[in-house]
Amino acid sequence: MTAQSRENLSGLDLVAEIQRLKKERNAVILGHYYQRPEIQDLSDFVGDSLELSRKAAETDADVIAFCGVKFMAETAKILSPDKIVVLPDMDAGCSLEDSCPPEQFARFRAAHPDHIALTYINCSAEVKALSDIIVTSSSAGQIIAQIPPEQKIIFGPDRHLGGYLNRKFGRDMLLWPGVCIVHEAFSETELIKLKAQHPGAPVAAHPECPPHIIDHADYVGSTSGILQFAKTMGGDTLIVATEPHIIHQMEKAVPEKTFIGAPGADGNCNCNICPYMALNTLEKLYLALRDLEPRIELDEALRLKAKKSLDRMLEMAGGTVGKGDLGRA
Ligand code: 13P
Ligand code: SF4
């Protein structure tokens, strides 16, 4: 435990203090849809991985307080090296990043010299530096469409997203065997039971879900794509097969509709809360803005290498939901 986290902050109005420090520091708070509702509500911008990358690249703030996981904050630093980028909890990692150590990925690349490396943004800066083009779930479809069909591709680290892209776009990418522990935890048996209880309710799924969940989906797309589907779909009830904190934005946008998190094996959706995203709290956000720590720092040579593959994504991606997103299953 750090000295900071032992501090007693119980007397503070954290929301007011965060707002005060944000002005004082000329900071912008970027929040992912999987953050706790109280953090989403304090964020200047809430979005998916691609949108947050774009915001990080464009901001004229001096400080970016990134409320998401480490690979997202690292992406912000790669694209905005002159800004101070803080992440409320430096242990906010990602099972996909953990599954793909750079040395092993370098060996995978070296074993397939005639392949390009198309890599999911959920990876370390080192793996980005070893890649040709980065994708997010909202930009993958549009980017793959621009790669000639005869070009051989390795795709990492998410084998479910890679498998979904192979099926949808008729590709034969070689897949790294990583998974997201959150989307892996949905239960098909419980989902079928839930669908029976809500006949006619569509299912929206993130492409990090395994195929036995995707097979039940009426819509497959990024977090922003799923949110857009929630707003525009015809019915009044949606089953949401992604991290349940996104339901906060759905309930704000369309309060008259009902959103039900897809269940895990125990029949409820609590096991699908991302344990890494959940590490960020209001207390830690306050301390990060006050102390400008913990800070993302990157070696400049590594940053420049990683930036190349991210720049390729930003050039190739239309980025807007409905244009670049994966769309219906
Ligand atoms: P999005 O790019 O759809 O926001 O996904 C990020 C993520 O980590 C999903 O688990
Ligand atoms: Fe990583 Fe999965 Fe959490 Fe997204 S939900 S940050 S992929 S562990």
Side-chain angles (χ1 to χ4, degrees), residues 234-269:
D236 60 4
T237 303
L238 176 67
I239 298 174
V240 180
T242 193
E243 214 272 2
H245 282 117
I246 194 174
I247 291 176
H248 179 59
Q249 290 299 324
M250 295 174 178
E251 287 173 341
K252 280 171 82 165
V254 268
E256 67 282 9
K257 293 184 186 173
T258 303
F259 302 105
I260 308 171
D266 63 354
N268 76 53
C269 70

PDB file of all heavy atoms in Angstrom, residues 234-269:
ATOM      1  N   GLY A 234     -35.227  -0.874 -32.086  1.00  0.00           N
ATOM      2  CA  GLY A 234     -36.678  -0.711 -32.031  1.00  0.00           C
ATOM      3  C   GLY A 234     -37.310  -1.040 -30.690  1.00  0.00           C
ATOM      4  O   GLY A 234     -38.150  -0.292 -30.202  1.00  0.00           O
ATOM      5  N   GLY A 235     -36.918  -2.135 -30.054  1.00  0.00           N
ATOM      6  CA  GLY A 235     -37.612  -2.618 -28.845  1.00  0.00           C
ATOM      7  C   GLY A 235     -37.327  -1.779 -27.609  1.00  0.00           C
ATOM      8  O   GLY A 235     -36.668  -0.741 -27.678  1.00  0.00           O
ATOM      9  N   ASP A 236     -37.839  -2.273 -26.465  1.00  0.00           N
ATOM     10  CA  ASP A 236     -37.626  -1.504 -25.239  1.00  0.00           C
ATOM     11  C   ASP A 236     -36.694  -2.199 -24.244  1.00  0.00           C
ATOM     12  O   ASP A 236     -36.426  -1.676 -23.167  1.00  0.00           O
ATOM     13  CB  ASP A 236     -38.978  -1.178 -24.580  1.00  0.00           C
ATOM     14  CG  ASP A 236     -39.750  -2.443 -24.206  1.00  0.00           C
ATOM     15  OD1 ASP A 236     -39.206  -3.552 -24.397  1.00  0.00           O
ATOM     16  OD2 ASP A 236     -40.888  -2.311 -23.723  1.00  0.00           O
ATOM     17  N   THR A 237     -36.201  -3.409 -24.594  1.00  0.00           N
ATOM     18  CA  THR A 237     -35.312  -4.138 -23.675  1.00  0.00           C
ATOM     19  C   THR A 237     -34.109  -4.667 -24.458  1.00  0.00           C
ATOM     20  O   THR A 237     -34.267  -5.198 -25.558  1.00  0.00           O
ATOM     21  CB  THR A 237     -36.065  -5.333 -23.027  1.00  0.00           C
ATOM     22  OG1 THR A 237     -37.224  -4.816 -22.366  1.00  0.00           O
ATOM     23  CG2 THR A 237     -35.197  -6.073 -22.023  1.00  0.00           C
ATOM     24  N   LEU A 238     -32.914  -4.498 -23.891  1.00  0.00           N
ATOM     25  CA  LEU A 238     -31.693  -4.974 -24.554  1.00  0.00           C
ATOM     26  C   LEU A 238     -30.874  -5.805 -23.571  1.00  0.00           C
ATOM     27  O   LEU A 238     -30.697  -5.418 -22.410  1.00  0.00           O
ATOM     28  CB  LEU A 238     -30.852  -3.770 -25.036  1.00  0.00           C
ATOM     29  CG  LEU A 238     -29.492  -4.095 -25.680  1.00  0.00           C
ATOM     30  CD1 LEU A 238     -29.679  -4.833 -27.019  1.00  0.00           C
ATOM     31  CD2 LEU A 238     -28.671  -2.815 -25.914  1.00  0.00           C
ATOM     32  N   ILE A 239     -30.380  -6.938 -24.048  1.00  0.00           N
ATOM     33  CA  ILE A 239     -29.441  -7.755 -23.260  1.00  0.00           C
ATOM     34  C   ILE A 239     -28.028  -7.363 -23.704  1.00  0.00           C
ATOM     35  O   ILE A 239     -27.714  -7.370 -24.899  1.00  0.00           O
ATOM     36  CB  ILE A 239     -29.710  -9.259 -23.471  1.00  0.00           C
ATOM     37  CG1 ILE A 239     -31.141  -9.583 -22.984  1.00  0.00           C
ATOM     38  CG2 ILE A 239     -28.666 -10.104 -22.734  1.00  0.00           C
ATOM     39  CD1 ILE A 239     -31.602 -11.006 -23.258  1.00  0.00           C
ATOM     40  N   VAL A 240     -27.200  -6.976 -22.729  1.00  0.00           N
ATOM     41  CA  VAL A 240     -25.906  -6.354 -23.032  1.00  0.00           C
ATOM     42  C   VAL A 240     -24.772  -7.310 -22.665  1.00  0.00           C
ATOM     43  O   VAL A 240     -24.485  -7.528 -21.482  1.00  0.00           O
ATOM     44  CB  VAL A 240     -25.768  -5.029 -22.230  1.00  0.00           C
ATOM     45  CG1 VAL A 240     -24.439  -4.357 -22.532  1.00  0.00           C
ATOM     46  CG2 VAL A 240     -26.941  -4.095 -22.522  1.00  0.00           C
ATOM     47  N   ALA A 241     -24.097  -7.870 -23.693  1.00  0.00           N
ATOM     48  CA  ALA A 241     -22.999  -8.818 -23.431  1.00  0.00           C
ATOM     49  C   ALA A 241     -21.658  -8.099 -23.551  1.00  0.00           C
ATOM     50  O   ALA A 241     -20.858  -8.344 -24.456  1.00  0.00           O
ATOM     51  CB  ALA A 241     -23.089 -10.013 -24.369  1.00  0.00           C
ATOM     52  N   THR A 242     -21.449  -7.181 -22.619  1.00  0.00           N
ATOM     53  CA  THR A 242     -20.134  -6.568 -22.436  1.00  0.00           C
ATOM     54  C   THR A 242     -20.065  -6.095 -20.993  1.00  0.00           C
ATOM     55  O   THR A 242     -20.988  -6.357 -20.211  1.00  0.00           O
ATOM     56  CB  THR A 242     -19.862  -5.440 -23.467  1.00  0.00           C
ATOM     57  OG1 THR A 242     -18.463  -5.107 -23.413  1.00  0.00           O
ATOM     58  CG2 THR A 242     -20.691  -4.186 -23.212  1.00  0.00           C
ATOM     59  N   GLU A 243     -18.989  -5.429 -20.625  1.00  0.00           N
ATOM     60  CA  GLU A 243     -18.819  -5.014 -19.230  1.00  0.00           C
ATOM     61  C   GLU A 243     -20.000  -4.138 -18.812  1.00  0.00           C
ATOM     62  O   GLU A 243     -20.345  -3.181 -19.515  1.00  0.00           O
ATOM     63  CB  GLU A 243     -17.494  -4.240 -19.123  1.00  0.00           C
ATOM     64  CG  GLU A 243     -16.771  -4.429 -17.829  1.00  0.00           C
ATOM     65  CD  GLU A 243     -17.178  -3.453 -16.738  1.00  0.00           C
ATOM     66  OE1 GLU A 243     -18.072  -2.615 -16.976  1.00  0.00           O
ATOM     67  OE2 GLU A 243     -16.596  -3.520 -15.649  1.00  0.00           O
ATOM     68  N   PRO A 244     -20.657  -4.476 -17.692  1.00  0.00           N
ATOM     69  CA  PRO A 244     -21.946  -3.843 -17.389  1.00  0.00           C
ATOM     70  C   PRO A 244     -21.914  -2.351 -17.033  1.00  0.00           C
ATOM     71  O   PRO A 244     -22.968  -1.709 -17.047  1.00  0.00           O
ATOM     72  CB  PRO A 244     -22.482  -4.672 -16.218  1.00  0.00           C
ATOM     73  CG  PRO A 244     -21.313  -5.374 -15.640  1.00  0.00           C
ATOM     74  CD  PRO A 244     -20.321  -5.561 -16.743  1.00  0.00           C
ATOM     75  N   HIS A 245     -20.747  -1.770 -16.764  1.00  0.00           N
ATOM     76  CA  HIS A 245     -20.754  -0.337 -16.429  1.00  0.00           C
ATOM     77  C   HIS A 245     -21.201   0.540 -17.596  1.00  0.00           C
ATOM     78  O   HIS A 245     -21.580   1.693 -17.400  1.00  0.00           O
ATOM     79  CB  HIS A 245     -19.359   0.107 -15.927  1.00  0.00           C
ATOM     80  CG  HIS A 245     -19.113  -0.302 -14.501  1.00  0.00           C
ATOM     81  ND1 HIS A 245     -18.125  -1.175 -14.149  1.00  0.00           N
ATOM     82  CD2 HIS A 245     -19.741   0.050 -13.361  1.00  0.00           C
ATOM     83  CE1 HIS A 245     -18.158  -1.359 -12.826  1.00  0.00           C
ATOM     84  NE2 HIS A 245     -19.129  -0.621 -12.340  1.00  0.00           N
ATOM     85  N   ILE A 246     -21.159   0.004 -18.817  1.00  0.00           N
ATOM     86  CA  ILE A 246     -21.625   0.788 -19.971  1.00  0.00           C
ATOM     87  C   ILE A 246     -23.130   1.067 -19.864  1.00  0.00           C
ATOM     88  O   ILE A 246     -23.637   2.025 -20.463  1.00  0.00           O
ATOM     89  CB  ILE A 246     -21.295   0.067 -21.307  1.00  0.00           C
ATOM     90  CG1 ILE A 246     -21.471   1.034 -22.489  1.00  0.00           C
ATOM     91  CG2 ILE A 246     -22.102  -1.195 -21.489  1.00  0.00           C
ATOM     92  CD1 ILE A 246     -21.047   0.499 -23.829  1.00  0.00           C
ATOM     93  N   ILE A 247     -23.823   0.247 -19.090  1.00  0.00           N
ATOM     94  CA  ILE A 247     -25.277   0.419 -18.946  1.00  0.00           C
ATOM     95  C   ILE A 247     -25.591   1.799 -18.345  1.00  0.00           C
ATOM     96  O   ILE A 247     -26.642   2.380 -18.621  1.00  0.00           O
ATOM     97  CB  ILE A 247     -25.873  -0.757 -18.122  1.00  0.00           C
ATOM     98  CG1 ILE A 247     -25.778  -2.039 -18.973  1.00  0.00           C
ATOM     99  CG2 ILE A 247     -27.305  -0.484 -17.685  1.00  0.00           C
ATOM    100  CD1 ILE A 247     -26.233  -3.316 -18.268  1.00  0.00           C
ATOM    101  N   HIS A 248     -24.668   2.355 -17.594  1.00  0.00           N
ATOM    102  CA  HIS A 248     -24.859   3.699 -17.024  1.00  0.00           C
ATOM    103  C   HIS A 248     -25.147   4.722 -18.138  1.00  0.00           C
ATOM    104  O   HIS A 248     -26.071   5.534 -18.026  1.00  0.00           O
ATOM    105  CB  HIS A 248     -23.620   4.091 -16.228  1.00  0.00           C
ATOM    106  CG  HIS A 248     -23.696   5.451 -15.613  1.00  0.00           C
ATOM    107  ND1 HIS A 248     -24.690   5.803 -14.725  1.00  0.00           N
ATOM    108  CD2 HIS A 248     -22.920   6.558 -15.765  1.00  0.00           C
ATOM    109  CE1 HIS A 248     -24.518   7.063 -14.365  1.00  0.00           C
ATOM    110  NE2 HIS A 248     -23.455   7.547 -14.983  1.00  0.00           N
ATOM    111  N   GLN A 249     -24.338   4.667 -19.208  1.00  0.00           N
ATOM    112  CA  GLN A 249     -24.548   5.621 -20.321  1.00  0.00           C
ATOM    113  C   GLN A 249     -25.848   5.333 -21.055  1.00  0.00           C
ATOM    114  O   GLN A 249     -26.520   6.248 -21.540  1.00  0.00           O
ATOM    115  CB  GLN A 249     -23.386   5.556 -21.322  1.00  0.00           C
ATOM    116  CG  GLN A 249     -22.077   6.102 -20.799  1.00  0.00           C
ATOM    117  CD  GLN A 249     -22.154   7.579 -20.419  1.00  0.00           C
ATOM    118  OE1 GLN A 249     -22.833   8.372 -21.070  1.00  0.00           O
ATOM    119  NE2 GLN A 249     -21.461   7.944 -19.353  1.00  0.00           N
ATOM    120  N   MET A 250     -26.205   4.056 -21.160  1.00  0.00           N
ATOM    121  CA  MET A 250     -27.451   3.691 -21.852  1.00  0.00           C
ATOM    122  C   MET A 250     -28.644   4.235 -21.080  1.00  0.00           C
ATOM    123  O   MET A 250     -29.569   4.813 -21.661  1.00  0.00           O
ATOM    124  CB  MET A 250     -27.577   2.167 -21.967  1.00  0.00           C
ATOM    125  CG  MET A 250     -26.502   1.552 -22.835  1.00  0.00           C
ATOM    126  SD  MET A 250     -26.594  -0.241 -22.787  1.00  0.00           S
ATOM    127  CE  MET A 250     -25.265  -0.627 -23.929  1.00  0.00           C
ATOM    128  N   GLU A 251     -28.601   4.072 -19.757  1.00  0.00           N
ATOM    129  CA  GLU A 251     -29.730   4.531 -18.941  1.00  0.00           C
ATOM    130  C   GLU A 251     -29.838   6.052 -18.955  1.00  0.00           C
ATOM    131  O   GLU A 251     -30.924   6.619 -18.871  1.00  0.00           O
ATOM    132  CB  GLU A 251     -29.586   3.985 -17.509  1.00  0.00           C
ATOM    133  CG  GLU A 251     -29.889   2.489 -17.478  1.00  0.00           C
ATOM    134  CD  GLU A 251     -29.618   1.819 -16.145  1.00  0.00           C
ATOM    135  OE1 GLU A 251     -28.868   2.399 -15.323  1.00  0.00           O
ATOM    136  OE2 GLU A 251     -30.143   0.697 -15.946  1.00  0.00           O
ATOM    137  N   LYS A 252     -28.700   6.734 -19.090  1.00  0.00           N
ATOM    138  CA  LYS A 252     -28.745   8.198 -19.196  1.00  0.00           C
ATOM    139  C   LYS A 252     -29.324   8.623 -20.545  1.00  0.00           C
ATOM    140  O   LYS A 252     -30.107   9.571 -20.633  1.00  0.00           O
ATOM    141  CB  LYS A 252     -27.331   8.794 -19.050  1.00  0.00           C
ATOM    142  CG  LYS A 252     -26.887   8.887 -17.604  1.00  0.00           C
ATOM    143  CD  LYS A 252     -25.441   9.271 -17.477  1.00  0.00           C
ATOM    144  CE  LYS A 252     -25.193  10.752 -17.598  1.00  0.00           C
ATOM    145  NZ  LYS A 252     -23.831  11.118 -17.120  1.00  0.00           N
ATOM    146  N   ALA A 253     -28.928   7.910 -21.597  1.00  0.00           N
ATOM    147  CA  ALA A 253     -29.330   8.316 -22.949  1.00  0.00           C
ATOM    148  C   ALA A 253     -30.786   7.955 -23.242  1.00  0.00           C
ATOM    149  O   ALA A 253     -31.507   8.734 -23.870  1.00  0.00           O
ATOM    150  CB  ALA A 253     -28.416   7.657 -23.979  1.00  0.00           C
ATOM    151  N   VAL A 254     -31.207   6.766 -22.842  1.00  0.00           N
ATOM    152  CA  VAL A 254     -32.583   6.315 -23.132  1.00  0.00           C
ATOM    153  C   VAL A 254     -33.203   5.707 -21.869  1.00  0.00           C
ATOM    154  O   VAL A 254     -33.339   4.489 -21.747  1.00  0.00           O
ATOM    155  CB  VAL A 254     -32.642   5.313 -24.326  1.00  0.00           C
ATOM    156  CG1 VAL A 254     -32.879   6.007 -25.641  1.00  0.00           C
ATOM    157  CG2 VAL A 254     -31.389   4.454 -24.435  1.00  0.00           C
ATOM    158  N   PRO A 255     -33.588   6.591 -20.915  1.00  0.00           N
ATOM    159  CA  PRO A 255     -34.064   6.080 -19.625  1.00  0.00           C
ATOM    160  C   PRO A 255     -35.346   5.263 -19.719  1.00  0.00           C
ATOM    161  O   PRO A 255     -35.642   4.483 -18.813  1.00  0.00           O
ATOM    162  CB  PRO A 255     -34.291   7.363 -18.801  1.00  0.00           C
ATOM    163  CG  PRO A 255     -34.221   8.499 -19.749  1.00  0.00           C
ATOM    164  CD  PRO A 255     -33.506   8.044 -20.974  1.00  0.00           C
ATOM    165  N   GLU A 256     -36.069   5.413 -20.813  1.00  0.00           N
ATOM    166  CA  GLU A 256     -37.330   4.660 -20.933  1.00  0.00           C
ATOM    167  C   GLU A 256     -37.097   3.193 -21.313  1.00  0.00           C
ATOM    168  O   GLU A 256     -38.001   2.371 -21.216  1.00  0.00           O
ATOM    169  CB  GLU A 256     -38.275   5.349 -21.934  1.00  0.00           C
ATOM    170  CG  GLU A 256     -37.839   5.367 -23.393  1.00  0.00           C
ATOM    171  CD  GLU A 256     -36.771   6.424 -23.743  1.00  0.00           C
ATOM    172  OE1 GLU A 256     -36.215   7.073 -22.834  1.00  0.00           O
ATOM    173  OE2 GLU A 256     -36.482   6.573 -24.955  1.00  0.00           O
ATOM    174  N   LYS A 257     -35.865   2.834 -21.724  1.00  0.00           N
ATOM    175  CA  LYS A 257     -35.589   1.447 -22.111  1.00  0.00           C
ATOM    176  C   LYS A 257     -34.956   0.672 -20.944  1.00  0.00           C
ATOM    177  O   LYS A 257     -34.421   1.271 -20.013  1.00  0.00           O
ATOM    178  CB  LYS A 257     -34.647   1.411 -23.327  1.00  0.00           C
ATOM    179  CG  LYS A 257     -35.288   1.963 -24.605  1.00  0.00           C
ATOM    180  CD  LYS A 257     -34.359   1.823 -25.799  1.00  0.00           C
ATOM    181  CE  LYS A 257     -34.957   2.503 -27.019  1.00  0.00           C
ATOM    182  NZ  LYS A 257     -34.044   2.560 -28.157  1.00  0.00           N
ATOM    183  N   THR A 258     -35.030  -0.658 -21.037  1.00  0.00           N
ATOM    184  CA  THR A 258     -34.481  -1.520 -19.976  1.00  0.00           C
ATOM    185  C   THR A 258     -33.242  -2.238 -20.502  1.00  0.00           C
ATOM    186  O   THR A 258     -33.280  -2.807 -21.599  1.00  0.00           O
ATOM    187  CB  THR A 258     -35.545  -2.570 -19.561  1.00  0.00           C
ATOM    188  OG1 THR A 258     -36.712  -1.860 -19.162  1.00  0.00           O
ATOM    189  CG2 THR A 258     -35.069  -3.446 -18.417  1.00  0.00           C
ATOM    190  N   PHE A 259     -32.167  -2.205 -19.720  1.00  0.00           N
ATOM    191  CA  PHE A 259     -30.914  -2.840 -20.127  1.00  0.00           C
ATOM    192  C   PHE A 259     -30.537  -3.903 -19.102  1.00  0.00           C
ATOM    193  O   PHE A 259     -30.482  -3.612 -17.905  1.00  0.00           O
ATOM    194  CB  PHE A 259     -29.812  -1.788 -20.269  1.00  0.00           C
ATOM    195  CG  PHE A 259     -30.194  -0.729 -21.263  1.00  0.00           C
ATOM    196  CD1 PHE A 259     -30.596   0.535 -20.845  1.00  0.00           C
ATOM    197  CD2 PHE A 259     -30.212  -1.022 -22.610  1.00  0.00           C
ATOM    198  CE1 PHE A 259     -30.999   1.496 -21.761  1.00  0.00           C
ATOM    199  CE2 PHE A 259     -30.611  -0.068 -23.545  1.00  0.00           C
ATOM    200  CZ  PHE A 259     -31.004   1.191 -23.116  1.00  0.00           C
ATOM    201  N   ILE A 260     -30.281  -5.094 -19.599  1.00  0.00           N
ATOM    202  CA  ILE A 260     -29.976  -6.210 -18.702  1.00  0.00           C
ATOM    203  C   ILE A 260     -28.591  -6.748 -19.073  1.00  0.00           C
ATOM    204  O   ILE A 260     -28.340  -7.095 -20.232  1.00  0.00           O
ATOM    205  CB  ILE A 260     -31.018  -7.351 -18.864  1.00  0.00           C
ATOM    206  CG1 ILE A 260     -32.449  -6.788 -18.729  1.00  0.00           C
ATOM    207  CG2 ILE A 260     -30.771  -8.454 -17.844  1.00  0.00           C
ATOM    208  CD1 ILE A 260     -33.526  -7.800 -19.101  1.00  0.00           C
ATOM    209  N   GLY A 261     -27.706  -6.798 -18.086  1.00  0.00           N
ATOM    210  CA  GLY A 261     -26.368  -7.344 -18.326  1.00  0.00           C
ATOM    211  C   GLY A 261     -26.458  -8.842 -18.571  1.00  0.00           C
ATOM    212  O   GLY A 261     -27.179  -9.555 -17.859  1.00  0.00           O
ATOM    213  N   ALA A 262     -25.746  -9.344 -19.589  1.00  0.00           N
ATOM    214  CA  ALA A 262     -25.713 -10.794 -19.829  1.00  0.00           C
ATOM    215  C   ALA A 262     -25.049 -11.472 -18.629  1.00  0.00           C
ATOM    216  O   ALA A 262     -24.113 -10.924 -18.044  1.00  0.00           O
ATOM    217  CB  ALA A 262     -24.947 -11.092 -21.119  1.00  0.00           C
ATOM    218  N   PRO A 263     -25.547 -12.653 -18.256  1.00  0.00           N
ATOM    219  CA  PRO A 263     -25.052 -13.294 -17.026  1.00  0.00           C
ATOM    220  C   PRO A 263     -23.788 -14.135 -17.193  1.00  0.00           C
ATOM    221  O   PRO A 263     -23.481 -14.606 -18.282  1.00  0.00           O
ATOM    222  CB  PRO A 263     -26.233 -14.201 -16.634  1.00  0.00           C
ATOM    223  CG  PRO A 263     -27.052 -14.367 -17.875  1.00  0.00           C
ATOM    224  CD  PRO A 263     -26.658 -13.347 -18.891  1.00  0.00           C
ATOM    225  N   GLY A 264     -23.110 -14.302 -16.065  1.00  0.00           N
ATOM    226  CA  GLY A 264     -22.016 -15.271 -15.982  1.00  0.00           C
ATOM    227  C   GLY A 264     -22.585 -16.602 -15.514  1.00  0.00           C
ATOM    228  O   GLY A 264     -23.814 -16.780 -15.429  1.00  0.00           O
ATOM    229  N   ALA A 265     -21.682 -17.543 -15.170  1.00  0.00           N
ATOM    230  CA  ALA A 265     -22.131 -18.903 -14.820  1.00  0.00           C
ATOM    231  C   ALA A 265     -22.994 -18.927 -13.561  1.00  0.00           C
ATOM    232  O   ALA A 265     -23.810 -19.826 -13.377  1.00  0.00           O
ATOM    233  CB  ALA A 265     -20.921 -19.797 -14.646  1.00  0.00           C
ATOM    234  N   ASP A 266     -22.853 -17.913 -12.683  1.00  0.00           N
ATOM    235  CA  ASP A 266     -23.659 -17.898 -11.460  1.00  0.00           C
ATOM    236  C   ASP A 266     -25.021 -17.236 -11.688  1.00  0.00           C
ATOM    237  O   ASP A 266     -25.785 -17.024 -10.760  1.00  0.00           O
ATOM    238  CB  ASP A 266     -22.912 -17.170 -10.334  1.00  0.00           C
ATOM    239  CG  ASP A 266     -22.647 -15.705 -10.665  1.00  0.00           C
ATOM    240  OD1 ASP A 266     -22.941 -15.292 -11.819  1.00  0.00           O
ATOM    241  OD2 ASP A 266     -22.158 -14.974  -9.793  1.00  0.00           O
ATOM    242  N   GLY A 267     -25.303 -16.862 -12.941  1.00  0.00           N
ATOM    243  CA  GLY A 267     -26.619 -16.301 -13.257  1.00  0.00           C
ATOM    244  C   GLY A 267     -26.709 -14.801 -13.080  1.00  0.00           C
ATOM    245  O   GLY A 267     -27.727 -14.202 -13.423  1.00  0.00           O
ATOM    246  N   ASN A 268     -25.705 -14.139 -12.548  1.00  0.00           N
ATOM    247  CA  ASN A 268     -25.770 -12.670 -12.516  1.00  0.00           C
ATOM    248  C   ASN A 268     -24.573 -12.091 -13.265  1.00  0.00           C
ATOM    249  O   ASN A 268     -23.662 -12.817 -13.671  1.00  0.00           O
ATOM    250  CB  ASN A 268     -25.922 -12.125 -11.087  1.00  0.00           C
ATOM    251  CG  ASN A 268     -24.645 -12.181 -10.306  1.00  0.00           C
ATOM    252  OD1 ASN A 268     -23.621 -11.692 -10.763  1.00  0.00           O
ATOM    253  ND2 ASN A 268     -24.700 -12.775  -9.121  1.00  0.00           N
ATOM    254  N   CYS A 269     -24.598 -10.750 -13.451  1.00  0.00           N
ATOM    255  CA  CYS A 269     -23.574 -10.164 -14.327  1.00  0.00           C
ATOM    256  C   CYS A 269     -22.396  -9.572 -13.545  1.00  0.00           C
ATOM    257  O   CYS A 269     -21.492  -9.003 -14.134  1.00  0.00           O
ATOM    258  CB  CYS A 269     -24.194  -9.123 -15.263  1.00  0.00           C
ATOM    259  SG  CYS A 269     -24.717  -7.640 -14.450  1.00  0.00           S
TER     260      CYS A 269
END
